[in-house]
């Protein structure tokens, strides 16, 4: 018994040795996994940005600069006005259809331009005198409860004739341009590059427009009207009760100059 007892020795047991070792290994691997996930997210964002820059014709080298020069020349030659700033936005009509637009703010007017970035030519220009703009609203979109195509995010609505409401025929005609307001949202390229971030941001456009409108009201007040512009933060209503056509058009970006496989828009 003594030999047995002396031959046996107490050996310390490392409690949870395997578990502690696994925790240590997991701790060492977590930073590597986190860095791997971050790298994957960065690569994904970069790939998405490169896809958008290839998809939109306005992102082709020199396309927007060419549009700006063309539109500046037209405004200067026909209207003799000084262009203060140029923006790339998307217009949302009263039937919720998105349309790519180049918007110019001059010392006297707001120009909403439909520009073909494939053929590099102007197709349509709408002129709104700045001293007629009486209300600028910024806020989230609202739709009827059963509307198919609802829109997230904020929009900017510009009203220029508070004495006239849109007629019933104009509201229900999807092709009508006889509306006393227009609505803008940010262009899809707004976060792709520094250049597009500068010209696609809605808040920057609103600040420049507000200053230009205030100056226009002071310099050229409209007789018989209360001059000045009201800035409101309120929901922007779009009365599309079904929205099937806008649902299809907006999902496929039919209002933009895009590369569409072997067919150009």
């Amino acid at each position: 018994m003594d030999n047995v007892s002396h031959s046996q020795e107490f050996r310390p047991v490392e409690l949870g040795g395997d578990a502690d070792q696994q925790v240590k290994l997991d701790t060492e691997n977590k930073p590597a996994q986190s860095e791997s996930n971050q790298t994957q997210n960065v690569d994904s964002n970069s790939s998405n940005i490169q896809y958008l820059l290839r998809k939109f014709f306005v992102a082709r080298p020199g396309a927007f600069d060419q549009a700006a020069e063309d539109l500046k020349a037209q405004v200067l030659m026909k209207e003799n006005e000084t262009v203060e700033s140029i923006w790339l936005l998307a217009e949302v009509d009263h039937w919720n259809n998105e349309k790519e637009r180049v918007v110019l703010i001059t010392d006297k007017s707001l120009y909403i331009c439909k520009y073909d970035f494939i053929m590099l030519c102007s197709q349509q220009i709408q002129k709104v005198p700045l001293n007629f703009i009486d209300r600028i609203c910024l806020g989230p979109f609202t739709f009827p409860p059963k509307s198919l195509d609802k829109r997230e995010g904020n929009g900017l609505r510009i009203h220029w004739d508070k004495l006239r409401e849109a007629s019933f025929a104009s509201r229900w005609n999807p092709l009508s341009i006889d509306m006393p307001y227009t609505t803008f949202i940010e262009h899809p390229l707004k976060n792709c590059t520094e250049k597009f971030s500068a010209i696609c941001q809605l808040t920057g456009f609103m600040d420049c427009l507000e200053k230009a409108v205030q100056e226009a009201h002071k310099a050229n007040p409209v007789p018989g009207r209360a001059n000045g512009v009201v800035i409101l933060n309120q929901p922007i209503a779009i009365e599309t009760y079904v929205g099937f056509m806008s649902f299809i058009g907006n999902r496929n970006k039919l209002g933009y100059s895009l590369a569409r496989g072997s067919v150009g828009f």
Side-chain angles (χ1 to χ4, degrees):
M1 290 291 295
D2 293 340
N3 293 336
V4 173
S5 62
H6 286 297
S7 65
Q8 293 179 346
E9 297 179 355
F10 290 101
R11 296 181 181 179
V13 177
E14 186 176 351
L15 298 176
D18 293 340
D20 291 344
Q21 185 177 6
Q22 184 63 39
V23 169
K24 183 178 181 181
L25 291 174
D26 291 343
T27 305
E28 292 176 351
N29 289 334
K30 280 183 180 179
Q33 293 175 356
S34 178
E35 291 177 3
S36 177
N37 292 337
Q38 292 177 359
T39 302
Q40 291 177 358
N41 291 335
V42 170
D43 292 342
S44 177
N45 292 335
S46 178
S47 299
N48 185 50
I49 289 174
Q50 292 303 318
Y51 171 78
L52 291 176
L53 293 175
R54 289 193 302 267
K55 191 79 171 172
F56 286 86
F57 277 95
V58 67
R60 304 294 169 91
F64 183 80
D65 295 335
Q66 181 65 51
E69 292 302 320
D70 290 346
L71 295 171
K72 278 183 181 180
Q74 291 187 48
V75 170
L76 182 62
M77 180 176 64
K78 296 181 180 179
E79 305 293 341
N80 194 25
E81 298 180 16
T82 303
V83 177
E84 303 290 344
S85 60
I86 302 180
W87 304 84
L88 179 65
L89 302 171
E91 185 179 26
V92 179
D93 67 12
H94 58 295
W95 275 49
N96 196 35
N97 296 296
E98 289 182 26
K99 302 171 184 179
E100 189 174 49
R101 293 291 183 260
V102 179
V103 183
L104 284 71
I105 300 176
T106 72
D107 54 337
K108 298 178 181 178
S109 306
L110 174 71
Y111 291 91
I112 305 168
C113 310
K114 180 182 179 181
Y115 194 87
D116 186 349
F117 287 101
I118 302 175
M119 299 300 295
L120 295 178
C121 63
S122 174
Q123 294 183 322
Q124 179 183 336
I125 299 178
Q126 181 183 8
K127 176 183 177 181
V128 180
L130 291 178
N131 58 344
F132 275 72
I133 296 176
D134 48 55
R135 200 172 6 141
I136 301 175
C137 303
L138 177 67
F141 288 98
T142 60
F143 291 80
K146 295 184 179 181
S147 180
L148 175 64
D149 188 24
K150 296 184 179 181
R151 180 183 299 280
E152 301 295 333
N154 292 335
L156 181 70
R157 178 164 290 178
I158 304 167
H159 299 259
W160 53 77
D161 193 351
K162 62 184 176 183
L163 301 179
R164 179 173 68 92
E165 293 292 334
S167 65
F168 178 83
S170 296
R171 291 201 310 270
W172 286 98
N173 180 6
L175 302 178
S176 175
I177 58 174
D178 185 29
M179 305 295 290
Y181 63 82
T182 188
T183 308
F184 292 112
I185 59 173
E186 293 178 328
H187 195 278
L189 295 179
K190 66 183 183 216
N191 294 323
C192 288
T193 65
E194 292 184 4
K195 176 181 178 179
F196 286 114
S197 294
I199 62 176
C200 297
Q201 294 294 341
L202 206 59
T203 53
F205 169 72
M206 179 179 174
D207 292 339
C208 289
L209 179 63
E210 180 182 353
K211 293 177 183 178
V213 170
Q214 290 174 346
E215 292 297 327
H217 277 291
K218 293 178 183 178
N220 189 20
V222 180
R225 295 182 60 175
N227 287 280
V229 59
V230 178
I231 309 298
L232 300 173
N233 289 314
Q234 65 180 24
I236 297 175
I238 296 183
E239 297 177 343
T240 53
Y241 289 89
V242 178
F244 181 70
M245 295 304 297
S246 61
F247 177 83
I248 295 175
N250 294 340
R251 291 300 183 278
N252 293 281
K253 294 288 188 288
L254 297 182
Y256 296 83
S257 294
L258 292 182
R260 304 178 191 276
S262 60
V263 180
F265 176 73

